Amino acid sequence: MMTEGRSYLPIPLDGFELCHPREQSDFEIVNVLIDGTPRAANWSPLDVIIIDDEFGRKLKRSDAPWMTDGCLVFGERVLERLGGLLRDQGELLPLACRQRNLWAFNPNAVLPCLDEAKSEVLRLDTGRIFHVARYSMKEHVVAGHLLYKCDVFRVSPTFVGQEFVDAWRAANLEGLEFDEVWRSF
């Protein structure tokens, strides 16, 4: 059953692994490359590491080690359980990680979905939106999209719909929670 009318932002669960580019400067490369533009044909895997210890505290294994809100990273369990759904919604781009197999998700939908008149936004002097305090999405635009980016941002977070949240939970995957940022009702 398709459930529409809700958008979420995935966020990392506290105490779970992180994924960082081996070179800190590559975070900007991630911002540029994971933007909804098809990349698979010319993709060169980015060198990444798993951060499994933070301030002397051992972090739990994550099915989605956190990199950024614009670049969701998935491990093998996610591909085994949700691979078809993900491939229908974008590209799974392999990452070069010595610790285990990981993929960056590049959504194929970059949508004109933000209803700016009904959202609470902060703008730069240029008029460009740099922060959204309260989202209002155009329901007819996001309908049917399980993972997508919003076209008003230079670097958009990856939004997910209710069906993705339900599939994640049904698959018993770990490492993410979902912050509801909009509902139509």
Side-chain angles (χ1 to χ4, degrees), residues 109-180:
V110 180
L111 306 175
C113 58
L114 186 68
D115 186 335
E116 294 181 39
K118 295 180 182 175
S119 298
E120 289 180 25
V121 300
L122 298 175
R123 298 179 184 275
L124 299 170
D125 290 341
T126 62
R128 175 176 233 143
I129 294 172
F130 76 91
H131 178 72
V132 178
R134 187 179 51 81
Y135 287 91
S136 181
M137 298 297 192
K138 296 174 185 172
E139 185 171 11
H140 68 282
V141 175
V142 300
H145 294 281
L146 292 116
L147 298 106
Y148 60 92
K149 289 182 176 275
C150 180
D151 71 348
V152 300
F153 301 108
R154 183 183 79 81
V155 179
S156 174
T158 299
F159 295 88
V160 301
Q162 185 67 52
E163 190 173 339
F164 179 82
V165 172
D166 293 344
W168 179 273
R169 291 176 178 155
N172 293 313
L173 297 167
E174 297 182 306
L176 293 179
E177 59 185 335
F178 302 93
D179 182 25
E180 184 179 291

Side-chain angles (χ1 to χ4, degrees), residues 30-54:
V30 169
N31 288 339
V32 170
L33 293 180
I34 307 300
D35 67 349
T37 303
R39 304 280 181 200
N42 298 311
W43 181 253
S44 180
L46 185 66
D47 196 20
V48 299
I49 58 172
I50 294 288
I51 308 296
D52 60 3
D53 183 271
E54 188 175 53

Side-chain angles (χ1 to χ4, degrees), residues 8-69:
Y8 297 83
L9 285 175
I11 54 177
L13 276 171
D14 187 43
F16 281 82
E17 296 170 321
L18 308 171
C19 179
H20 287 179
R22 190 167 294 281
E23 299 295 327
Q24 285 294 105
S25 60
D26 286 348
F27 273 109
E28 185 56 27
I29 291 172
V30 169
N31 288 339
V32 170
L33 293 180
I34 307 300
D35 67 349
T37 303
R39 304 280 181 200
N42 298 311
W43 181 253
S44 180
L46 185 66
D47 196 20
V48 299
I49 58 172
I50 294 288
I51 308 296
D52 60 3
D53 183 271
E54 188 175 53
F55 308 115
R57 177 179 69 148
K58 181 75 175 156
L59 299 175
K60 297 176 196 167
R61 187 177 180 101
S62 177
D63 292 313
W66 188 256
M67 185 177 291
T68 71
D69 63 356

